[in-house]
Amino acid sequence: EEFSRFGETDWSLLVNDLEREVPELHALVEAFDFVPTWRHDDVMASFAPPGAGIGAHVDSYDVFLVQGSGERVWEVVAGARLGKREEEEALLGGGGGLRVLRDGAFQATHSWTLEAGDMLYLPPRVPHRGRSASADCTTLSVGFRLPSVRELVGRFADHVCAEGGQVEASGKMLRHKLRLPAPSPGPREAAGGGGGGEAGGNSAPSNGGLISGRGAPGA
């Protein structure tokens, strides 16, 4: 009755960060403890009347779709992963902030009907569309971020700087911290030619540099 003012169809209700308001959902999150906790994004609930959904789209993270009540039909383009440029070209204009794909850009290859208790996993960037198939359709989406290499390096660098760390470019120090064996001597070194190395201080470390910081993991 509270949603009657929205009409009988063509609308969806989305609630993000639901686990912050409903502590019981922490048990649902813990069911995915095989994924590192730092990747957890949120639990989102979606409710829609029969036939409604937000349209075809892609997500930039791993998502587990758990059907809480009722039924929802999911359509997926198997084997396809849209890059950001491809997504931009396929977007429907006037989406009101929603990044919805045009009908012509979404050609489903597989379809499943999820009932209460069923779950569907969707990898990042796979086009998909969900539509309610009952009057009591509620779906819980458990999302996990997929940061890029640039984001990971940037955040680690921020951590090092925040801890007052320093950059150590010593190959000897690197081998010590990673417990790597000493490098095999080259032809010149084996023949007693010497030439630079770590003792000479004129050549770059053979194993690259190491970023470490006081208090950082492994420091």
Side-chain angles (χ1 to χ4, degrees), residues 97-123:
L98 294 176
R99 302 178 65 81
V100 179
L101 305 178
R102 301 190 310 272
D103 288 339
F106 180 81
Q107 301 294 328
T109 60
H110 293 71
S111 176
W112 298 276
T113 298
L114 266 62
E115 300 177 347
D118 291 341
M119 183 181 74
L120 175 66
Y121 163 69
L122 289 174

Side-chain angles (χ1 to χ4, degrees), residues 46-181:
S46 59
F47 176 83
I54 64 173
H57 63 284
V58 298
D59 297 313
S60 296
Y61 48 84
D62 293 280
V63 61
F64 295 87
L65 303 166
V66 181
Q67 192 63 26
S69 62
E71 299 179 354
R72 188 181 294 262
V73 177
W74 288 100
E75 299 172 293
V76 175
V77 183
R81 294 203 180 191
L82 288 186
K84 291 186 177 181
R85 178 177 298 181
E86 295 173 308
E87 180 190 8
E88 291 292 339
E89 295 174 351
L91 288 178
L92 176 68
L98 294 176
R99 302 178 65 81
V100 179
L101 305 178
R102 301 190 310 272
D103 288 339
F106 180 81
Q107 301 294 328
T109 60
H110 293 71
S111 176
W112 298 276
T113 298
L114 266 62
E115 300 177 347
D118 291 341
M119 183 181 74
L120 175 66
Y121 163 69
L122 289 174
R125 312 302 300 177
V126 172
H128 57 280
R129 175 172 59 195
R131 291 178 176 173
S132 170
S134 66
D136 58 343
C137 175
T138 302
T139 304
L140 299 175
S141 303
V142 185
F144 293 91
R145 294 184 294 268
L146 186 66
S148 64
V149 173
R150 177 177 297 181
E151 290 174 320
L152 287 174
V153 173
R155 291 178 183 178
F156 180 70
D158 290 340
H159 170 74
V160 171
C161 294
E163 295 292 334
Q166 59 183 351
V167 175
E168 299 170 351
S170 166
K172 183 177 181 180
M173 178 65 75
L174 178 63
R175 290 194 298 274
H176 172 71
K177 286 189 175 287
L178 299 184
R179 293 180 172 82
L180 298 176

